[in-house]
Amino acid sequence: MATTAVVSAGIAGGLVAGAGSAAAQTVEVPMSTCFGLSPYIVDQPYVASRAWFYQDGPGTGTVTLADVSSVVGFFTAPYLSDTRLDWRNKTTGATGTLTATTPIALGNSVNLRMNSGPGEVEITRSAVNRHALWSIPTTSCTGTVRVN
């Protein structure tokens, strides 16, 4: 868990450092907790309770989902995580879905481009974690980010 926190902080710090604009910044988005088992079962569980949002233009930015890693995936083939991020702009009513498949080992993250428009945007994360033998879905978690 300490490694995951350091990696997540590094991701957020890297986004801020690479911003190129004094006004742009990465913000932490607190979320309810997503939980799921690793398909390796004896591995650390899939537990996430935040996202990072970097706004780089009006109504648009990158959502980074980190804080998930696999100790077993470090020694063998990483498992795959099919991540889904549903967003709903509470101000305009616009909605969308973003997806990505990411190998999970130590320190992996998912970067998703969100074009929600300005307003209060509710994001809901879920995933299905899999390897060659089976898949295990996670619970969903939700948070809200202010997009300018």
Side-chain angles (χ1 to χ4, degrees):
M1 294 297 260
T3 300
T4 302
V6 169
V7 169
S8 297
I11 290 167
L15 288 173
V16 172
S21 168
Q25 67 177 357
T26 299
V27 295
E28 182 178 356
V29 182
M31 301 178 78
S32 57
T33 301
C34 294
F35 180 81
L37 294 176
S38 162
Y40 288 120
I41 307 300
V42 296
D43 199 2
Q44 61 191 41
Y46 179 104
V47 180
S49 59
R50 64 184 172 173
W52 302 96
F53 181 70
Y54 171 71
Q55 184 165 350
D56 58 2
T60 187
T62 300
V63 177
T64 299
L65 306 173
D67 298 338
V68 177
S69 61
S70 168
V71 174
V72 174
F74 180 74
F75 296 103
T76 186
Y79 69 82
L80 296 177
S81 185
D82 298 321
T83 303
R84 176 181 173 128
L85 185 80
D86 295 309
W87 59 265
R88 181 178 63 89
N89 188 317
K90 295 179 179 182
T91 306
T92 66
T95 62
T97 299
L98 307 169
T99 60
T101 298
T102 307
I104 302 297
L106 290 177
N108 295 67
S109 63
V110 178
N111 295 301
L112 300 166
R113 186 90 181 130
M114 185 172 75
N115 296 306
S116 63
E120 293 291 321
V121 180
E122 180 181 78
I123 58 174
T124 302
R125 170 187 189 169
S126 62
V128 175
N129 300 320
R130 61 186 167 89
H131 60 34
L133 298 177
W134 54 73
S135 299
I136 301 174
T138 69
T139 60
S140 295
C141 48
T142 302
T144 302
V145 60
R146 174 83 190 148
V147 180
N148 296 313

